[in-house]
């Protein structure tokens, strides 16, 4: 049986304000190996609630999970922050057989944590599929 990673992007808080109204229209793109998923866009908020569930299948030992948070705009979307869950983190989760329910801090494109970019709440679980 193939190994699957079940992901729920629950919510975020304290995101950057990218729009003139002091808010953002955030959504998340998720990437693992060659698989992708995307949440819905939440309008005019810095604390979106998504409850987006997705599954990534045929997980490889060196796989990483990347999440990028964007602000939706009419012509060009603005980058808000990202999170990369390393293969070591995922291997530990797989080995422990635990369900992960945690808040993770977002960073910029250079993995810089100097400027706060908010946090994202994820639930993760490995399953045989």
């Amino acid at each position: 049986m193939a190994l699957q990673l079940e992901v729920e992007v629950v919510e975020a808080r304290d995101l950057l304000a990218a729009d003139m109204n002091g808010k953002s229209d955030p959504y998340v793109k998720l990437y693992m190996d060659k698989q992708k998923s995307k949440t819905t866009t939440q309008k005019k908020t810095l604390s979106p609630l998504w409850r987006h569930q997705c599954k990534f299948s045929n997980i490889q030992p060196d796989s990483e999970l990347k999440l990028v948070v964007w602000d939706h705009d009419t012509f060009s979307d603005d980058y808000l922050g990202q999170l990369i869950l390393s293969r070591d983190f995922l291997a530990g989760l797989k080995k422990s057989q635990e369900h992960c329910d945690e808040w993770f801090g977002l960073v910029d494109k250079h993995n810089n944590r100097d400027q706060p970019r908010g946090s994202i709440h994820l639930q993760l679980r490995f399953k045989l599929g």
Side-chain angles (χ1 to χ4, degrees), residues 58 70 104 111:
N58 300 317
W70 294 93
F104 296 90
N111 208 24

Side-chain angles (χ1 to χ4, degrees), residues 66-92:
K66 181 176 182 178
L67 296 93
V68 183
V69 183
W70 294 93
D71 168 58
H72 175 75
D73 285 324
T74 304
F75 299 109
S76 178
D77 293 351
D78 298 314
Y79 174 89
L80 296 178
Q82 70 180 20
L83 169 68
I84 298 175
L85 296 179
S86 71
R87 65 179 180 198
D88 292 337
F89 176 88
L90 294 174

